[in-house]
Amino acid sequence: AGPAAAELPGLPPGALQFQRLLRARRQWDEVGAAYGRSADEIGDAEWEGTRAFIRSFYKVGEDMEFLAGGMKGETKTKAVQLSRDFRRFVRSLDKPLIDKDLDGFRKGHAQAKSMVEGFFALLEEASDIPEEI
C-alpha cells in the first residue's frame, strides 16, 4: 500500500495532505531499512515492489506543494521548489531500481529522505504554533 492508502475519512484539505506526508515518511524509512541488507538478499519481486512504491511516493510531492500553498514569502518559495525538486528526484530513483544498483538506491533513498525532512523543517518554520505546545 502506497502513501495514499488507508486515509482517514473526512479530513479537511491540508490535514489530509499532512497525514499522507507523515505516512509516506514512515513508509520511506521502512523501505530504507529493507535495503540495509546485501544485494543478494533482495529478490526481483522486492526490487519491482519498490519501483511500484516510488510511483506513489512521487505523489507526496503534490501533497508537499499543496501544503506549501499555505505558507508565505520565502518559506513558501523554498517549499514549492523543494516539492518540485522532490518529484523530479523521486522519478530518477527508478533507474537504480531497474539496474538493481543497491549503492545507487541507498544514496538516492538518503537524498529523498533529506528532502522530506527539509520540507518538514519548512512546515515548522511556517507554523504559527508556539514550540512550547
Side-chain angles (χ1 to χ4, degrees):
E7 293 170 356
L8 296 175
L11 285 177
L16 177 63
Q17 288 77 11
F18 186 70
Q19 180 212 22
R20 288 193 300 229
L21 183 59
L22 285 171
R23 184 181 309 110
R25 178 171 66 172
R26 185 187 71 247
Q27 290 173 330
W28 194 240
D29 287 345
E30 291 168 5
V31 167
Y35 283 84
R37 304 170 302 187
S38 66
D40 59 333
E41 295 178 83
I42 301 169
D44 291 344
E46 192 166 356
W47 288 106
E48 284 302 314
T50 304
R51 288 186 67 213
F53 176 79
I54 65 167
R55 288 184 194 92
S56 63
F57 192 57
Y58 170 89
K59 294 181 181 189
V60 169
E62 296 168 7
D63 292 332
M64 291 164 75
E65 192 159 354
F66 181 91
L67 292 168
M71 298 176 184
K72 293 182 171 83
E74 187 178 330
T75 304
K76 179 178 183 172
T77 303
K78 287 178 186 176
V80 168
Q81 187 60 52
L82 180 58
S83 70
R84 292 175 182 167
D85 292 345
F86 174 81
R87 283 188 299 234
R88 192 171 19 261
F89 183 74
V90 167
R91 214 176 8 231
S92 76
L93 290 177
D94 203 39
K95 177 144 179 44
L97 290 169
I98 290 170
D99 296 343
K100 298 178 182 157
D101 173 6
L102 185 56
D103 288 336
F105 180 71
R106 283 178 179 157
K107 289 175 187 167
H109 179 277
Q111 187 170 344
K113 179 178 173 64
S114 176
M115 293 171 102
V116 170
E117 295 305 324
F119 189 81
F120 273 101
L122 291 171
L123 279 173
E124 187 176 322
E125 183 179 311
S127 174
D128 56 1
I129 299 171
E131 285 186 33
E132 298 83 41
I133 294 183

